[in-house]
Amino acid sequence: MITGRGRGHHREILTVATAMVEAGKLRPLMNAATFNFDSIEAAHALVASGKANGKVVVDIAE
């Protein structure tokens, strides 16, 4: 999908990605643990360790 053809190609990429999400073939990978702002150092340590499985979420809406 990524070809280096520039911004005009982004619409096509997003259209294909949207179809994949809707078909259940593409989903975000999130780390099982979530952190709040008070434990942000632990979140950073997890990312720095390389042991995070997917994106690490820090909830700052508390």
Side-chain angles (χ1 to χ4, degrees):
M1 288 191 327
I2 306 290
T3 64
R5 288 192 281 169
R7 289 190 134 183
H9 188 57
H10 291 181
R11 180 183 175 105
E12 181 183 339
I13 293 169
L14 291 174
T15 301
V16 172
T18 299
M20 292 174 71
V21 168
E22 290 172 349
K25 295 180 179 179
L26 179 68
R27 58 190 173 97
L29 181 59
M30 308 280 278
N31 195 71
T34 58
F35 300 88
N36 60 28
F37 195 73
D38 293 333
S39 62
I40 199 164
E41 289 180 9
H44 185 271
L46 177 62
V47 172
S49 75
K51 295 180 181 178
N53 184 16
K55 299 295 182 182
V56 174
V57 176
V58 177
D59 184 3
I60 58 170
E62 295 181 17

